Amino acid sequence: MQKLDEERRITFEHIVTLLTILDENRLLELKQEVDRVLQTKRSTQDLLSEEQLWPSQAVANLEISSRSADVIDIPDDIDAKFFGKLASKRALAVAVHSYAGRLRNTSAADPLARSIAANDYALPRSFSRYLDKATSKAVRSAMLEALLAQGSIDAHVFCVLGSAGALNWIIGLLSSRAEDEETIVPLLLTCLAMICQAGPLPDDERRKLDADLVEHLLDLALEQQYNTDDSVLNGALLSLLSINWQLPAAINNLVMKALANRKEISNLGNAIVMLMNREEGRSREACLKFMRDIFSQAETADFFFTNDFHVLLEILTRQFQDLGNGDPLQLLYLEVFYQLFHNHPGYGEDQFKRDEIVSMFRSILEQTLPEEPTYQMAEKIVLDQPFFA
């Protein structure tokens, strides 16, 4: 600060000297330029703590771009400690924005990608901790983008977040309903769904997926059902299905209880069917478990309206036929079919796509060995339903 004061004194001495040789307009322009330079120096000084907590390369890059200080070059040797050393909120914002921008074009040379490839997940943990403390929506948005970018490359990032308390700030931000959170709601929902799908959560974390959260997600989905931008609607529904994936059984299942108690949720049936149609990977598994659970109880077996139910049956039939022999999802699809045929109140009368379904199950029994679980489940379905006779 002493150096800055000295620069200010010298600068204003120069201005006084120039008073005798410059006209008033030129002097005003010069003063404005001096003020701008001094303000830039003060802004830069604010970004740097007195202890010089930033790595030297980052400091040099920041000095170069100090006029705006919106973006800096992230050093190649970045690690979790880099963000942990930032004392200024603005410094953290600049660094995270810069890093999130870098991740949009992630390559094998990216330091976070390298650390994750080496099973070092300190940086995602660091991001999660600082996101919990961040007060700026811009910082939160940038951090979420960075986490999701890395999670799309290595899903274990979401396992790390799930065990590192990330649900605390995700649920807290989702529940705040503040206007300035609206832009990050889709990111929060995606992160919530991916954490739930990444693997079994620790018991203390799974308990955070409570009835209040389920009701909040249902309310959010209902609010968004007619919005032309369906990112929040789909995110809320996928989060619900992913929470359900964490719950072991349909009985005493918080999601199934909520659906049974709120009949207006059936209006969301079409959107859920569309998720079933397009999701892949763990999201597809979450959709299938949801279908198995919802058709396993009389209270929810009639959840879907007739048209939605017919579309769902077409999708399930097509997707099952597209699976290769031995695909681990075959058994889960057959469990869905069993619960659907056994408990849906209208299928015995409707028998929609009966001939195609009968032919599909005959093919399973003809092409599968009797000792295989898929054969045994298919046989159980055939013996259970009179329309196969």
Side-chain angles (χ1 to χ4, degrees), residues 197-308:
Q197 292 178 24
L201 287 167
D203 289 342
D204 57 336
E205 294 299 308
R206 188 165 56 246
R207 282 192 287 270
K208 297 172 185 176
L209 307 175
D210 58 16
D212 289 339
L213 176 60
V214 170
E215 292 291 340
H216 177 71
L217 292 172
L218 286 173
D219 290 339
L220 189 59
L222 286 170
E223 290 172 7
Q224 296 289 323
Q225 62 181 315
Y226 301 117
N227 195 331
T228 53
D229 179 0
D230 59 2
S231 58
V232 174
L233 169 63
N234 290 332
L237 292 177
L238 188 57
S239 293
L240 278 167
L241 271 57
S242 301
I243 290 172
N244 183 73
W245 191 81
Q246 283 285 332
L247 305 176
I251 300 175
N252 296 323
N253 180 316
L254 295 173
V255 176
M256 294 300 122
K257 281 186 175 181
L259 296 181
N261 294 332
R262 297 180 59 172
K263 295 302 182 183
E264 77 274 18
I265 303 299
S266 291
N267 293 324
L268 301 173
N270 179 259
I272 295 174
V273 170
M274 292 302 101
L275 285 179
M276 181 73 240
N277 186 47
R278 66 172 172 266
E279 295 298 328
E280 301 289 345
R282 285 285 178 87
S283 294
R284 171 78 64 85
E285 291 183 46
C287 291
L288 285 168
K289 182 182 181 297
F290 176 86
M291 298 303 172
R292 183 187 65 189
D293 290 347
I294 205 167
F295 288 120
S296 67
Q297 302 179 94
E299 295 85 357
T300 54
D302 62 346
F303 173 79
F304 293 101
F305 296 131
T306 300
N307 287 342
D308 295 334

Side-chain angles (χ1 to χ4, degrees), residues 82-364:
F82 175 80
F83 294 95
K85 290 177 179 178
L86 303 183
S88 162
K89 291 180 181 178
R90 179 163 174 74
L92 180 62
V94 172
V96 171
H97 272 300
S98 303
Y99 192 68
R102 176 173 174 163
L103 288 180
R104 292 189 183 96
N105 297 306
T106 302
S107 67
D110 183 87
L112 181 52
R114 288 201 306 271
S115 66
I116 288 178
N119 296 319
D120 178 3
Y121 295 93
L123 197 51
R125 289 191 184 96
S126 176
F127 265 46
S128 181
R129 287 197 301 272
Y130 289 109
L131 203 152
D132 193 16
K133 300 173 184 176
T135 57
S136 163
K137 65 178 181 180
V139 173
R140 289 195 293 266
S141 179
M143 282 185 164
L144 281 166
E145 288 178 3
L147 290 172
L148 291 172
Q150 283 307 310
S152 67
I153 298 169
D154 182 352
H156 191 66
V157 168
F158 296 115
C159 291
V160 171
L161 294 177
S163 62
L167 289 178
N168 288 330
W169 51 260
I170 291 175
I171 295 172
L173 290 172
L174 281 174
S175 302
S176 70
R177 305 306 297 269
E179 280 188 27
D180 65 347
E181 304 297 351
E182 290 182 1
T183 55
I184 67 168
V185 166
L187 298 175
L188 290 168
L189 292 170
T190 300
C191 204
L192 173 59
M194 294 302 101
I195 288 173
C196 289
Q197 292 178 24
L201 287 167
D203 289 342
D204 57 336
E205 294 299 308
R206 188 165 56 246
R207 282 192 287 270
K208 297 172 185 176
L209 307 175
D210 58 16
D212 289 339
L213 176 60
V214 170
E215 292 291 340
H216 177 71
L217 292 172
L218 286 173
D219 290 339
L220 189 59
L222 286 170
E223 290 172 7
Q224 296 289 323
Q225 62 181 315
Y226 301 117
N227 195 331
T228 53
D229 179 0
D230 59 2
S231 58
V232 174
L233 169 63
N234 290 332
L237 292 177
L238 188 57
S239 293
L240 278 167
L241 271 57
S242 301
I243 290 172
N244 183 73
W245 191 81
Q246 283 285 332
L247 305 176
I251 300 175
N252 296 323
N253 180 316
L254 295 173
V255 176
M256 294 300 122
K257 281 186 175 181
L259 296 181
N261 294 332
R262 297 180 59 172
K263 295 302 182 183
E264 77 274 18
I265 303 299
S266 291
N267 293 324
L268 301 173
N270 179 259
I272 295 174
V273 170
M274 292 302 101
L275 285 179
M276 181 73 240
N277 186 47
R278 66 172 172 266
E279 295 298 328
E280 301 289 345
R282 285 285 178 87
S283 294
R284 171 78 64 85
E285 291 183 46
C287 291
L288 285 168
K289 182 182 181 297
F290 176 86
M291 298 303 172
R292 183 187 65 189
D293 290 347
I294 205 167
F295 288 120
S296 67
Q297 302 179 94
E299 295 85 357
T300 54
D302 62 346
F303 173 79
F304 293 101
F305 296 131
T306 300
N307 287 342
D308 295 334
F309 176 75
H310 286 171
V311 174
L312 173 63
L313 195 52
E314 284 187 2
I315 291 169
L316 291 170
T317 303
R318 169 176 50 80
Q319 289 179 346
F320 181 82
Q321 292 173 322
D322 288 342
L323 295 175
N325 289 334
D327 192 302
L329 284 183
Q330 278 187 320
L331 190 59
L332 186 50
Y333 273 94
L334 290 173
E335 290 172 354
V336 173
F337 281 122
Y338 176 78
Q339 298 295 348
L340 185 155
F341 295 142
H342 190 74
N343 293 315
H344 190 274
Y347 190 76
E349 303 170 1
D350 184 300
Q351 296 191 9
F352 179 70
K353 295 182 74 68
R354 175 190 177 279
D355 293 342
E356 182 179 345
I357 291 170
V358 169
S359 176
M360 180 178 73
F361 276 87
R362 284 176 178 166
S363 295
I364 297 170

Side-chain angles (χ1 to χ4, degrees), residues 9 40 90 207 384:
R9 184 187 64 78
T40 298
R90 179 163 174 74
R207 282 192 287 270
D384 184 66

